[in-house]
Amino acid sequence: MGCQACAGHVRWRQGCGFLRSIGEARLITPLRSEGGHRRYSRYQLRIAARARELVDQGTPIEAACRIIILEDQLEEAQRINAEYRRTDGSSSPSAAA
């Protein structure tokens, strides 16, 4: 989705500027069309919506970006831990008995 469509999709008044600002903060990196326009995925829009939510609550944009990165890292670590637990549980001697 292009910037204008994204702004309308998530109902932001100043959507394109906000999307650019979180891009500059390296929270998301949009793809570019052949004409050079930014293109955002649905996943990037979900991240942007979370950032907008934090900023609307008074969190500075740099802090909001860091919070989202940390939330994402925590979610990934929890997923990996769960996978290790499943793998470890299936290979333990008591599980095989």
Side-chain angles (χ1 to χ4, degrees):
M1 255 185 250
C3 186
Q4 291 295 328
C6 291
H9 180 71
V10 292
R11 295 172 185 80
W12 294 333
R13 293 169 93 194
Q14 298 170 341
C16 292
F18 183 76
L19 289 169
R20 273 194 296 277
S21 67
I22 61 174
E24 290 168 4
R26 298 185 189 272
L27 181 61
I28 59 175
T29 303
L31 297 175
R32 296 283 181 153
S33 69
E34 288 183 21
H37 299 283
R38 293 174 185 85
R39 307 293 294 179
Y40 297 93
S41 69
R42 292 183 188 275
Y43 174 73
Q44 289 174 325
L45 291 178
R46 282 194 304 272
I47 291 173
R50 175 68 176 131
R52 180 84 254 180
E53 180 182 304
L54 290 169
V55 169
D56 286 348
Q57 293 173 4
T59 306
I61 195 160
E62 297 82 12
C65 291
R66 184 69 180 137
I67 288 167
I68 293 166
I69 290 167
L70 291 170
E71 287 174 343
D72 192 52
Q73 290 172 347
L74 175 60
E75 183 179 320
E76 178 67 9
Q78 289 172 332
R79 187 194 61 75
I80 291 169
N81 284 341
E83 183 63 31
Y84 282 144
R85 284 189 197 107
R86 278 192 297 276
T87 303
D88 187 42
S90 65
S91 64
S92 69
S94 60

